[in-house]
Amino acid sequence: KMEEAKLLLEEIQSTRINRAGASIIFIFFIMIAVLVIVGTNLCSYSIGIRNAERQFNKKEYTKAYNEIYGLDVKDEDLVLYDRITTVMYVQKQLNSYYNYYGMKDQPRALDSLLKGLSRYEKYIELGIELDVDSDLDSVRNKILEEIELVFGMSEQEAMSIIQSDSRAEY
């Protein structure tokens, strides 16, 4: 039995894994994992930017914003990011209007439209610099259309409400 135990012990010792070889293989697999992760991040970034630009050109501003949201935008893509976010400042209020109107909350729906007009006035100069003034005008026209059709107000009436001196008057 002692001889069998010695043979078994020798067999176990002879089948040990070579530490240097195992280290090399481990490092190799770590390098592959790093390459896959970096490649995936680069691919998803470029796909997100490309999709955002495509959606913006199709005047799907919310979809474009959702594509670019959360990305760590590179310097060469900052102009696109600025263009999308500038239009979204106004579009967000139109989206809020649709939500409130769907919930039958007329006062908040109207408030969202009025805020949209106010934001248009605030960001139109930046929009002209970024060459998105036509996009901002498009969103503004949708807002004015909703104000007139749903609330029966003219643009002048809406602007006079926005320019109210106090919140109570508003």
Side-chain angles (χ1 to χ4, degrees), residues 45 68 70-74:
Y45 175 81
I68 208 166
L71 291 179
D72 188 18
V73 180
K74 296 178 182 175

Side-chain angles (χ1 to χ4, degrees), residues 111-125:
D111 184 53
S112 293
L113 292 174
L114 295 174
K115 284 181 183 177
L117 285 179
S118 177
R119 286 191 178 182
Y120 171 85
E121 297 298 324
K122 182 177 180 180
Y123 291 106
I124 189 61
E125 289 180 26

Side-chain angles (χ1 to χ4, degrees), residues 3-16:
E3 284 183 31
E4 284 180 25
K6 284 183 183 179
L7 285 175
L8 185 60
L9 185 60
E10 286 178 16
E11 186 177 319
I12 289 173
Q13 288 176 348
S14 66
T15 58
R16 276 197 159 167

Side-chain angles (χ1 to χ4, degrees), residues 11 20 22 25 32 47 54-56 93 98-99 104 113 119 126 135 137 142 159 166:
E11 186 177 319
I25 290 173
I32 288 176
I47 289 171
R54 189 176 310 122
Q55 295 296 338
F56 187 80
Q93 294 304 317
Y98 290 133
N99 290 331
K104 309 278 190 253
L113 292 174
R119 286 191 178 182
L126 178 60
D135 297 296
D137 288 340
K142 289 178 187 176
M159 293 306 289
S166 67

Side-chain angles (χ1 to χ4, degrees), residues 15-70:
T15 58
R16 276 197 159 167
I17 296 175
N18 182 350
R19 291 180 192 250
S23 297
I24 291 172
I25 290 173
F26 184 71
I27 290 171
F28 175 73
F29 281 113
I30 288 176
M31 288 175 33
I32 288 176
V34 167
L35 286 174
V36 167
I37 291 170
V38 168
T40 302
N41 287 342
L42 289 175
C43 254
S44 67
Y45 175 81
S46 62
I47 289 171
I49 292 293
R50 197 172 330 119
N51 287 342
E53 187 171 18
R54 189 176 310 122
Q55 295 296 338
F56 187 80
N57 290 335
K58 290 180 1 184
K59 302 202 181 304
E60 296 285 342
Y61 307 116
T62 304
K63 289 180 182 178
Y65 181 76
N66 289 338
E67 287 288 341
I68 208 166
Y69 181 77

